[in-house]
Amino acid sequence: MVSSNTTAQPRVNLHSDTATRPTQGMRKAIYEAEVGDEQSGEDPTAIRLQEKVAELLGKEAAVFLPSGTMCNEISYRVWCDHGDEIILEENSHALHYEVGGPGALAGVMTRTIRGTKGWFTADQVEGVVRPKSRHMPRQKLVSVENTANMAGGTIWPLDTLKDVAGAARKHGMRVHMDGARLPNAVVASGISFAEFAGPCDSAWIDLSKGLGCPIGGVLAGSKDFIEECWRFKHQFGGALRQSGIVAAAGIYALDNHVERLAEDHGRAKRLAEGIEDVEGISVDPASVETNMVFFDVSGTGVGAPEFSRRLMTEHEVKISAVQPTVLRAVTYLGIEDPDIEFAIAAIRQVAMEA
């Protein structure tokens, strides 16, 4: 993404849902957390969180990790040997925003598919399957992202996901789900966590985005898979001690912050509707499925980085440029209705003066 090149604190920050702050209830849960040495299996709060997520996703076991990126990279390392290949959508987070992690940490090749709204079909998987040959990388994994970030926070159709998983297994591949914003997909679609995770051999949810936690993700799969993940958690530098301090936030979030994601989705829709008629801006409110709004400002005569800069310097509204003419706004816990109306007015003003 293109930086807005400013360190000032915005009045309204729609840069990312990673800007969430712990609520008072979450802070209390953190303060009262019972803790122990995680690496010795002695942190009761971390254990409860792992069991809770494993049950939620319909898997045998889970492991608490410091970040969503680590959830992806450890999964790739477990499922693949060096030189193997992963199939994923061409705009996947793991491909563009994890600092080359698949190659650097898992030692894998990547083969991309041009998806529709961030998801792809079983036929497209079949179209990139390599012949079995000693001269070609072995394809071991299909990785999907739900919701699809750079497609606009879009949701995988469940039947399509099942078909893709079937095609992958037909060719001896596993299926992994990057579920950074899976809670958003669940709330928006009415499809359960376990239904979405069911076709996948491994899946994870992020705690530090819409759920409002300060840190962490939880990766789930079979007992054997998770046992290997613990090994690489240590190798990758993710070993923790009294992790219950932050695991308590995850438990609180899952108990209190999931259903409220619908409020974020409603505010994203309102933002899109509020700027739909602005001259020079192109946005489709019907395309807003969860908590992201992508809008094109090419008609205003200025590029997205400049539009973003003016929003921040002139109105203290932070919305990041993600393409030369496209900005992404993200709603989350802590963004309220007046913030959305303020952002709408700011976007209108910058467009009018461009």
Side-chain angles (χ1 to χ4, degrees):
M1 297 180 188
V2 182
S3 171
S4 57
N5 295 318
T6 179
T7 58
Q9 289 298 313
R11 172 173 173 174
V12 178
N13 186 351
L14 299 176
H15 163 69
S16 173
D17 43 10
T18 56
T20 53
R21 303 289 178 88
T23 60
Q24 285 304 113
M26 184 179 288
R27 290 175 182 272
K28 184 173 185 291
I30 292 170
Y31 177 78
E32 296 176 347
E34 185 181 3
V35 300
D37 187 341
E38 177 199 83
Q39 287 298 294
S40 299
E42 297 172 355
D43 191 299
T45 306
I47 290 170
R48 284 200 301 274
L49 173 62
Q50 288 161 174
E51 291 174 344
K52 189 179 187 71
V53 173
E55 181 178 4
L56 191 68
L57 296 179
K59 303 300 183 187
E60 291 180 343
V63 58
F64 176 55
L65 295 170
S67 72
T69 292
M70 190 174 284
C71 289
N72 276 338
E73 301 310 330
I74 286 179
S75 297
Y76 296 165
R77 184 67 182 89
V78 172
W79 291 131
C80 302
D81 291 325
H82 285 192
D84 289 343
E85 190 169 73
I86 296 172
I87 296 170
L88 69 177
E89 207 274 335
E90 67 178 4
N91 290 310
S92 298
H93 188 277
L95 190 65
H96 295 286
Y97 302 113
E98 296 182 10
V99 204
L105 300 176
V108 296
M109 304 283 288
T110 55
R111 190 166 175 86
T112 62
I113 292 175
R114 177 163 296 177
T116 301
K117 299 198 298 185
W119 47 267
F120 46 86
T121 67
D123 286 343
Q124 287 179 292
V125 172
E126 293 283 358
V128 297
V129 169
R130 295 180 183 274
K132 302 297 182 185
S133 168
R134 68 181 66 177
H135 302 291
M136 296 183 179
R138 298 179 302 178
Q139 293 176 310
K140 287 290 192 68
L141 187 69
V142 173
S143 184
V144 302
E145 184 180 334
N146 193 18
T147 64
N149 180 353
M150 294 309 294
T154 52
I155 302 166
W156 267 77
L158 183 57
D159 287 343
T160 302
L161 178 60
K162 290 178 178 178
D163 290 344
V164 163
R169 293 194 175 91
K170 173 183 170 184
H171 295 283
M173 290 182 278
R174 301 282 190 170
V175 181
H176 169 73
M177 178 179 286
D178 173 340
R181 294 180 176 87
L182 183 57
N184 295 90
V186 167
V187 169
S189 68
I191 297 168
S192 72
F193 284 92
E195 287 177 294
F196 270 131
C200 305
D201 298 284
S202 55
W204 61 274
I205 59 171
D206 204 318
L207 303 174
S208 66
K209 293 187 170 67
L211 295 183
C213 299
I215 188 174
V218 186
L219 172 63
S222 70
K223 289 180 180 178
D224 289 344
F225 169 78
I226 294 300
E227 186 61 33
E228 278 294 288
C229 289
W230 276 98
R231 176 170 174 260
F232 288 112
K233 174 179 180 176
H234 194 83
Q235 187 182 87
F236 283 15
L240 302 171
R241 297 303 175 187
Q242 289 74 35
S243 63
I245 289 289
V246 280
I251 294 172
Y252 183 88
L254 290 170
D255 288 342
N256 295 278
H257 291 172
V258 175
E259 294 305 321
R260 66 146 304 281
L261 292 170
E263 300 173 17
D264 301 338
H265 302 166
R267 290 184 178 115
K269 181 78 74 172
R270 167 60 193 145
L271 176 63
E273 292 171 346
I275 62 174
E276 182 183 15
D277 64 347
V278 176
E279 186 175 353
I281 289 179
S282 176
V283 63
D284 179 12
S287 70
V288 177
E289 298 183 17
T290 53
N291 66 326
M292 295 185 183
V293 180
F294 282 63
F295 58 99
D296 192 301
V297 297
S298 56
T300 65
V302 300
E306 174 63 13
F307 200 99
S308 174
R309 187 194 68 78
R310 293 184 188 181
L311 278 173
M312 185 62 189
T313 58
E314 298 171 13
H315 301 278
E316 297 179 274
V317 173
K318 186 175 182 180
I319 300 177
S320 295
V322 293
Q323 295 176 20
T325 65
V326 177
L327 290 91
R328 184 192 73 164
V330 189
T331 56
Y332 54 88
L333 177 66
I335 295 295
E336 303 293 341
D337 293 339
D339 299 317
I340 296 300
E341 298 307 317
F342 187 88
I344 289 170
I347 293 168
R348 286 178 169 274
Q349 188 71 21
V350 170
M352 183 178 68
E353 295 175 355

